[in-house]
Every structure is written in structure tokens, then in C-alpha cells.
Amino acid sequence: MRVEGMCKVTANLGMEIQYGEFYLERDYLVFDRNYSLGMKKRQTFPIAKLTDIAMVSENGQLYVTFVCGDIVFELESPSAGDLGAFARELRTLRDGAKLETKHFRYEKERQYTTHHQHHFVE
């Protein structure tokens, strides 16, 4: 699902209002910032690190807010796409990604002999 519109991005350095497109690709939330003259800047954020995903209704408008690390996003009044469906899909994927990472186990450490190390050097 793709949502395109104005987004308020708040970070440690301050706040910016940017126009762009959000969409989900594999395990990442992608934010394509659309500048004038056809220029774009693409940023990706891991879905598993998204927190505080909420839908807020103020003054008759619907907003979707979420946090990734130190960056807070507030997506408002999209020109294309449905915010409600986008927020539900984001929550579903985030919860699924967290469940998968909880059950992940590392393999036991392998013991290599000098014979193996000799072949690794070659």
C-alpha cells in the first residue's frame, strides 16, 4: 500500500514539513521525499523498530503518527491512499516482524581446526 501526502518529521535538530510517498517494501518502511524538478530522496526504516503507531483525529482530519528511533513522523491528509488502511497494515507488519525476531536463535559457535583455518586463508 502506498500513501502520498504531507508529513511532519520531527528529529533532534528540529521539525520539517515534507511532501513524499510512504510505502512498505519487504521489512522496511520506505519514504520517498519528492522535491521539485523530479528529484527524489529515498530513506528506509526497519519495520521492527517502529513504535507508537497511532491514528489521531483532530479538527475533522485524520493523522497517523509513528516513531522510528529519534525521528517522529506525523502523516496527514494524503493526496493518494487511505491512512486508516496504511496504519493497520503498518501495525500488522510490525507485530509480525517482532514475533519473528523473538523466536530467532543463533547457531552454536563452530569450532574450526587449524586444517580449516589453512583452507580459509587460501
Side-chain angles (χ1 to χ4, degrees):
M1 161 158 287
R2 292 177 182 263
V3 175
E4 186 174 347
M6 297 300 292
C7 179
K8 183 167 50 170
V9 181
T10 308
N12 291 339
L13 300 174
M15 188 230 3
E16 292 181 343
I17 295 181
Q18 300 174 350
Y19 184 82
E21 180 179 17
F22 282 95
Y23 58 93
L24 302 168
E25 185 175 284
R26 295 186 188 166
D27 295 340
Y28 292 95
L29 173 68
V30 180
F31 181 36
D32 279 339
R33 297 177 183 181
N34 299 330
Y35 297 108
S36 61
L37 303 174
M39 295 172 42
K40 283 188 175 184
K41 181 178 180 184
R42 181 179 182 183
Q43 283 187 301
T44 57
F45 303 96
I47 291 176
K49 290 190 176 184
L50 295 179
T51 58
D52 302 334
I53 301 171
M55 291 176 57
V56 180
S57 177
E58 283 184 16
N59 301 330
Q61 286 190 337
L62 186 65
Y63 300 93
V64 173
T65 61
F66 51 92
V67 178
C68 185
D70 296 338
I71 304 172
V72 179
F73 295 93
E74 184 177 310
L75 186 59
E76 60 184 57
S77 59
S79 59
D82 179 22
L83 278 181
F86 180 72
R88 283 189 293 278
E89 187 174 351
L90 225 125
R91 277 193 207 124
T92 304
L93 287 174
R94 187 223 29 212
D95 293 342
K98 285 190 176 181
L99 289 175
E100 289 173 9
T101 57
K102 286 180 184 175
H103 297 297
F104 180 78
R105 292 186 183 192
Y106 291 100
E107 291 183 21
K108 292 183 179 179
E109 196 171 311
R110 296 182 180 149
Q111 297 294 325
Y112 291 108
T113 62
T114 54
H115 169 76
H116 290 106
Q117 292 169 354
H118 171 73
H119 288 291
F120 287 149
V121 171
E122 290 180 346

